[in-house]
Amino acid sequence: MTKLIGQRFGLVVVVPLLWAGCSGAAAQPKPPDRASQAPLIIEEVLRYQVHQFASKGGEAEAFCVAVREDTVLVDPSPAMMARLNSKQLQPQSKCTATKTLIAGPIEWSRDDEVRVRGGYLRATEGETRLAYRVVRESGRWECLGPIISWDPL
């Protein structure tokens, strides 16, 4: 009888300890802070737009760049402009080009995937609005391109 009680006690103690140790909860990486990731995501969309809307071949054309915050267009931060490191891009408030690339706002799908609203504003033709899919792979954000959806009308 004492042997049976000892075996049951061992199961009651050992099984929960094994289960807790194998649950893997502590092994999950902490997701990045969304607010600190937002500038990197916007920057990646602007880079993609430069390649998407630039004239094919020939000399590099100038673009104004802006970030949409709610309904207001603002200049990208000086830090973002430095990371973009392109002579063909100028903040919207200091730019004389006739084409403006717009990125934002961000809609979070998951900690490693977002949808970013974007725009291409031409002085003579108005704004073309698109949404871009951006994912985090190998520790960095990558814009996979515009989201193509079917709209019956």
Side-chain angles (χ1 to χ4, degrees):
M1 181 79 163
T2 310
K3 188 175 180 182
L4 185 61
I5 293 174
Q7 288 174 344
R8 285 187 182 166
F9 178 75
L11 287 176
V12 170
V13 172
V14 172
V15 170
L17 288 175
L18 285 173
W19 181 74
C22 296
S23 66
Q28 298 297 324
K30 183 180 176 189
D33 174 42
R34 289 182 173 184
S36 69
Q37 297 299 302
L40 302 173
I41 294 166
I42 295 292
E43 177 184 326
E44 190 61 27
V45 171
L46 290 171
R47 283 183 201 283
Y48 187 92
Q49 289 177 317
V50 168
H51 295 290
Q52 181 182 12
F53 294 113
S55 298
K56 306 301 179 225
E59 113 187 24
E61 58 187 306
F63 290 100
C64 305
V65 290
V67 176
R68 191 182 312 270
E69 293 181 358
D70 295 320
T71 58
V72 179
L73 295 180
V74 298
D75 285 347
S77 69
M80 184 184 297
M81 290 303 298
R83 285 190 309 269
L84 286 168
N85 191 25
S86 175
K87 291 184 172 121
Q88 72 185 111
L89 301 178
Q90 293 294 316
Q92 172 197 351
S93 66
K94 300 174 184 166
C95 186
T96 58
T98 60
K99 299 174 183 177
T100 302
L101 304 175
I102 302 165
I106 297 170
E107 299 170 21
W108 289 86
S109 302
R110 299 188 314 248
D111 286 331
D112 63 351
E113 182 176 348
V114 297
R115 177 185 195 136
V116 180
R117 299 282 177 192
Y120 176 54
L121 180 62
R122 291 170 286 197
T124 58
E125 299 178 33
E127 183 178 352
T128 301
R129 292 189 179 196
L130 298 165
Y132 295 89
R133 183 171 177 233
V134 184
V135 298
R136 187 173 175 88
E137 292 183 351
S138 302
R140 64 179 297 273
W141 290 99
E142 182 178 348
C143 183
L144 301 180
I147 298 168
I148 308 298
S149 62
W150 182 74
D151 188 1
L153 298 176

